[in-house]
Amino acid sequence: AVGFRSGRYVGIALTPSGKGYWLATSDGNILGFGDAHFYGSTAGFSLGSDVVDIAATRTGHGYYLVTSSGGVLAFGDARYHGSAAKLSLHAPIVSVVPTQTGRGYFLLAADGGVFTYGDATFHGSAGALHLGAPLVDMATTTSGNGYTLVGADGGVFTYGDASFFGSAATLPLRAPIVSISLR
C-alpha cells in the first residue's frame, strides 16, 4: 500500500486485469494493491470538500477522484474534461464514472442530477423526481449509450439503453445500498 495517511475510505476501483485495486480516502489519499500502481493523490492539499469516489481509467494506468463539491482530479493517464466545482449544486456529487472510450466521464449528484464531460452523453436524470432516498452510485451500460442510477433505498433509475429489471426500494433493507455494477 502506498500513499496512505488518514481519512475514511470512500471508494474502490478495480484494475482492468482484476488483479488489483485502489482504495481512496475522503482526504484524497490512495492505496494501491496488487497490480494497481500509484499515480498520485491529493495528500497534503486542501480540497475544500471531501473526496467521495474514485474510478479507474480503462487502461488501468490512471484514475479519477471526485469531491462532493464536484471537483475532478485526474491522475496517470486520466484526462481532465471539466468539473462541476463552479456550479451551484443542489446536492453533493457522489460518483464519477468514465466513459467507455476513456475520453469523458459522468458525475452523479445525490439528488439525481447527472453531469457529462468530454464525450459523455446525457440520457436523462432523476434530478426532477421526488426521491425516497439520496442517490449513491451510477454505472454505464456496456455499449456506453445508457446508465443506471441507484439510491440508498435500493431505488433504480435507468436511462438510454439501460434495462430496468426491478429495484429493492420496497424491500426492508438492513443497511443502505452503497454501490451498483452492471458488469
Side-chain angles (χ1 to χ4, degrees), residues 3 11 48 55 64 78 87-88 91 95 99 104-105 111 114 116 120 147 159 164 169 180 182:
Y64 295 96
L87 300 178
S88 178
S95 183
T99 62
Y105 42 82
D111 66 353
V114 174
T116 58
Y147 41 83
Y159 299 92
F164 180 78
I180 188 171
L182 297 180

Side-chain angles (χ1 to χ4, degrees), residues 68-130:
S68 62
S69 64
V72 175
L73 303 124
F75 298 92
D77 68 355
R79 296 295 168 248
Y80 178 80
H81 297 284
S83 78
K86 303 253 187 228
L87 300 178
S88 178
L89 298 172
H90 298 286
I93 298 296
V94 295
S95 183
V96 59
V97 179
T99 62
Q100 301 294 324
T101 65
R103 294 189 300 267
Y105 42 82
F106 300 88
L107 300 182
L108 173 66
D111 66 353
V114 174
F115 304 89
T116 58
Y117 299 91
D119 69 352
T121 302
F122 181 77
H123 296 285
S125 78
L129 301 178
H130 175 71

Side-chain angles (χ1 to χ4, degrees), residues 1 11-12 18 23 27 38 46 51 75 103 108 113 117 147 150 153 158 165 169 174:
I12 186 170
L23 292 176
D27 55 0
F38 180 75
S46 176
V51 168
F75 298 92
R103 294 189 300 267
L108 173 66
Y117 299 91
Y147 41 83
V150 67
D153 64 352
T158 57
F165 300 106
R174 292 180 184 233

